Amino acid sequence: MDCRSESATTGPGRFRVNANGKLLDVWLLVRCVSCDRTSKLTVHERTPVRSFDPAELRGYRVNDPELVASRLLDPLLARRNRVTLDWTGAWRLDAPSARLDEPWPVQVEVTFEDPVPVRPDRLIAQGLDLSRNEVLRRVKCEIPLRRPTSAGFTFIVMTGD
């Protein structure tokens, strides 16, 4: 970014592909939220054309939204371009309230519409209106609760007694 803002958006998600002989440069265009200027995130630099999968190359040319999303989630691209994704407010847990006539323990399945990385203990605490300490005490899960995940999982909430 040219300005000091740390927030940008991909807008409609556009790639720019530039050919230099048999080498290609591919950038993902982002727009600064503050100054509205466009900048480029380097996706590929001076890469031989024959090393590209034809479907991937077509995706860059047609600005495939799934390809935009996968590139934004690529940790190597983020590190190389010195960017971080802000996931604030990007997730929520839609949990049905447990009825009093339901037997304890209660099993809850978590699915993700988008691969947003989140710590399960934070997601469960917010969604069930529990403290994170209470989540660690009452929730049984096969994945680590304090390690970020972006894949679906199931957990069991034990009685609070």
Side-chain angles (χ1 to χ4, degrees):
M1 303 295 151
D2 294 329
C3 73
R4 295 199 179 271
S5 173
E6 295 180 1
S7 296
T9 179
T10 60
R14 302 266 185 234
F15 288 106
R16 177 163 182 231
V17 180
N18 185 36
N20 184 358
K22 294 181 180 183
L23 302 176
L24 287 182
D25 292 315
V26 179
W27 299 283
L28 178 60
L29 302 178
V30 294
R31 183 169 300 275
C32 176
V33 172
S34 297
C35 70
D36 205 35
R37 295 182 73 186
T38 300
S39 296
K40 303 179 289 189
L41 301 179
T42 302
V43 178
H44 294 284
E45 191 171 34
R46 303 281 186 227
T47 306
V49 175
R50 67 178 171 269
S51 68
F52 284 92
D53 174 39
E56 178 185 23
L57 193 54
R58 183 180 181 286
Y60 290 134
R61 284 198 314 257
V62 300
N63 298 306
D64 179 29
E66 288 182 19
L67 192 56
V68 170
S70 73
R71 294 306 172 254
L72 281 174
L73 294 172
D74 181 0
L76 295 175
L77 179 109
R79 191 177 8 227
R80 184 173 46 239
N81 288 281
R82 294 186 189 100
V83 297
T84 56
L85 297 177
D86 180 7
W87 297 108
T88 306
W91 52 265
R92 72 173 188 275
L93 177 64
D94 295 325
S97 58
R99 298 190 322 249
L100 295 176
D101 60 344
E102 287 184 5
W104 286 88
V106 176
Q107 182 172 330
V108 180
E109 182 178 349
V110 176
T111 58
F112 290 84
E113 290 180 17
D114 294 310
V116 176
V118 63
R119 279 182 43 173
D121 63 337
R122 290 181 180 163
L123 177 72
I124 296 166
Q126 182 179 348
L128 299 180
D129 198 29
L130 301 171
S131 72
R132 291 203 340 239
N133 283 336
E134 193 172 5
V135 168
L136 295 174
R137 188 172 47 81
R138 291 183 55 192
V139 170
K140 305 298 180 207
C141 188
E142 291 183 9
I143 65 168
L145 293 174
R146 292 183 172 173
R147 190 166 294 145
T149 185
S150 56
F153 61 95
T154 302
F155 64 91
I156 296 174
V157 183
M158 308 304 282
T159 180
D161 298 334

